[in-house]
Amino acid sequence: MGQTTVVLVLAAVAAQSVGAVTFAVPGKVGTGSYSFAPLDPAPLGVSLEFFTFPSYITNVTATSQCLENWRALTGVWPPIRIGGTTQDRAQYDASTSAYVVYSVAKAADAPMTLTFGPKFMTLAGTYAGSVVLGLNRAKNNIQNTIAAAKVAVAEIKNLLAIELGNEPEYWVKDKQPIASGTWNSATDRASQNDWNIRVGSAIEKTNIIQAGNWNDSPPNWGAAGLIATENATVSQYVRHYAHHNYPGGSIQKLMTHSTTAQNIRAFNADVAAAKAVGKQYVLGETNSVSGGGAAGVSPTFGCALWTMDYTLRATSSNISRIYFHQGTVGNCQYCFWGRYSMGSPYYGAYAAVALMAGAKHIAALDTGTTNYAAYAAFDSSGAPVRVLLYNSDYYAGSGTRSSQSFTLTGLTSASVRAKRLTASSALSRVDQGGDLSFGGQYFNNVTCTVGGTEDIETTVVSGGQATFSLKATEALLVYLQ
């Protein structure tokens, strides 16, 4: 016990002895050595597992308010994507009056087969923000998919795109009909091109397909390879390219900033390939750990910080939108909210949205090689409006909690305000009574309404610079104007 205590104390002292990390805030977009990425009006959204979509909308009280909280910040409803594994188990049934029809042995299970009807599309059409709808390709019944797509186009006025299949690299393992012969990345690319043309022409819509949708790592399953096979006929139907991503790992590994930056760099070539043909690149389905999350990782404050950092690293790397997956209601460790409890990751998502809200560009001010991160958001005139600082040093609740000083230079005001994203440790969980807060406030269980008294910190600017102290496992949003 004594030896462990000494190690913890020495580690804490070492962490505290690190001098202030300094970041120069660019006075305008395009200045300095930073890379500036344009921001979508609502870069952070949610992906709702196909069969659970009606339940999230009609039976989960928090859904509308949690989305409204982001809209209140940005002025734009966040994007949603309806899809996932069960989209390729679902067949359209024009005769059913139900949203979805399926049976499961236990309420926490996902169905192996299901049908859905026109009412499903009508419900999707009630959402005020953009909608990406995932439809079945794996069953190889293109006429059924076209029938569903025609109803989607008619009923969903904010339909942004249609996905044709979810994670096709797993279809051999799942014994899906379309993969009964030779099936690999090359045959999938040919299949996607064929279906994109046939579905797009049948619904008489160009710029309508969200292509890609793999989870396996690029380049074998990736946008660059798909784009290389597309001619002008196919390309006209593609709106953007998507990839899925579940980094996984322990809390400490997941929330470490350099690890997150490295994970996002894996998509650079695909992002560049999409950009070269004038298309956006999105993370169409993503979250911490695949399969609904890991109980010891996904519901924690450390995962909330990962959610924040991951979102900002992605957007600053020219990934236009990030759709965080919400799985089976009542059986989802990484979900942002549920019927009875808020999820810790929602706090990190909210902080990320708060940085980007109304901004036109974002830039990462750090190299992505240390535990310390800084992001700046810029308004329509190109001026910096907010900076988010992140100390990803790991603190699990025992021993001395280290702190790190962050200095911002290039500031023009006499003082700045800030909101702190904090909790007692990386292991804190909302569903276990954890003390998570953003600017002193929290989100109420069941309703997702904001509770508590707002706590604004003020820091004096001297000589164009200000210094802030962040504890290990903490973030700070600094308002420059």
Side-chain angles (χ1 to χ4, degrees), residues 45-399:
V46 294
S47 164
L48 302 173
E49 182 61 44
F50 192 91
F51 87 98
T52 68
F53 162 69
S55 186
Y56 272 108
I57 300 301
T58 64
N59 295 326
V60 181
T61 302
T63 299
S64 59
Q65 185 61 50
C66 283
L67 297 172
E68 161 61 26
N69 290 342
W70 297 342
R71 189 210 63 80
L73 290 173
T74 65
V76 180
W77 283 98
I80 66 170
R81 174 256 188 173
I82 303 165
T85 302
T86 55
Q87 84 182 59
D88 276 312
R89 300 175 184 174
Q91 297 272 22
Y92 177 65
D93 180 0
S95 66
T96 183
S97 60
Y99 296 122
V100 287
V101 179
Y102 64 87
S103 62
V104 290
K106 296 179 293 186
D109 291 345
M112 296 306 296
T113 61
L114 63 149
T115 59
F116 64 101
K119 195 175 177 182
F120 187 99
M121 307 298 192
T122 303
L123 182 63
T126 65
Y127 184 62
S130 69
V131 177
V132 172
L133 177 68
L135 296 176
N136 194 318
R137 179 160 58 99
K139 298 299 181 191
N140 206 23
N141 186 346
I142 195 167
Q143 293 309 316
N144 184 266
T145 297
I146 286 173
K150 287 180 175 179
V151 179
V153 168
E155 294 293 326
I156 308 172
K157 300 308 178 187
N158 286 335
L159 183 67
L160 182 67
I162 292 172
E163 273 184 23
L164 297 173
N166 177 81
E167 299 176 1
E169 66 270 38
Y170 304 133
W171 289 347
V172 172
K173 173 180 65 67
D174 295 339
K175 296 181 170 54
Q176 292 285 13
I178 202 169
S180 59
T182 299
W183 189 259
N184 52 36
S185 57
T187 50
D188 172 62
R189 291 192 287 267
S191 171
Q192 288 209 35
N193 292 338
D194 178 48
W195 277 59
N196 293 349
I197 293 171
R198 293 170 67 185
V199 174
S201 60
I203 61 177
E204 300 179 332
K205 289 276 186 183
T206 56
N207 202 35
I208 193 63
I209 302 297
Q210 178 165 292
N213 312 302
W214 315 276
N215 187 53
D216 235 18
S217 300
N220 187 34
W221 300 89
L226 178 60
I227 290 167
T229 69
E230 293 175 341
N231 59 24
T233 304
V234 181
S235 183
Q236 67 179 320
Y237 293 110
V238 176
R239 187 179 189 98
H240 48 253
Y241 298 90
H243 211 96
H244 298 180
N245 189 35
Y246 290 88
S250 66
I251 300 172
Q252 183 172 5
K253 179 181 178 182
L254 189 69
M255 65 172 277
T256 296
H257 174 61
S258 58
T259 304
T260 296
Q262 182 181 27
N263 177 248
I264 292 297
R265 280 194 292 270
F267 300 100
N268 285 351
D270 276 2
V271 172
K275 189 176 180 180
V277 293
K279 310 284 187 180
Q280 291 184 335
Y281 189 89
V282 306
L283 292 174
E285 180 188 315
T286 190
N287 218 308
S288 53
V289 183
S290 62
V297 176
S298 302
T300 67
F301 179 62
C303 193
L305 291 170
W306 167 80
T307 301
M308 173 201 72
D309 190 31
Y310 177 76
T311 297
L312 300 179
R313 204 73 197 182
T315 52
S316 62
S317 301
N318 286 291
I319 294 174
S320 298
R321 284 178 302 285
I322 302 94
Y323 296 85
F324 283 91
H325 200 51
Q326 315 297 301
T328 306
V329 178
N331 187 22
C332 184
Q333 300 289 345
Y334 55 45
C335 279
F336 286 180
W337 61 83
R339 283 200 178 99
Y340 309 111
S341 175
M342 287 299 298
S344 300
Y346 184 78
Y347 284 75
Y350 187 92
V353 173
L355 171 73
M356 299 184 291
K360 300 300 182 184
H361 287 85
I362 188 172
L365 306 184
D366 66 275
T367 60
T369 57
T370 73
N371 280 8
Y372 311 119
Y375 300 95
F378 302 82
D379 65 16
S380 57
S381 73
V385 288
R386 290 176 290 272
V387 171
L388 187 139
L389 306 173
Y390 175 38
N391 178 357
S392 72
D393 287 341
Y394 183 66
Y395 180 67
S398 61

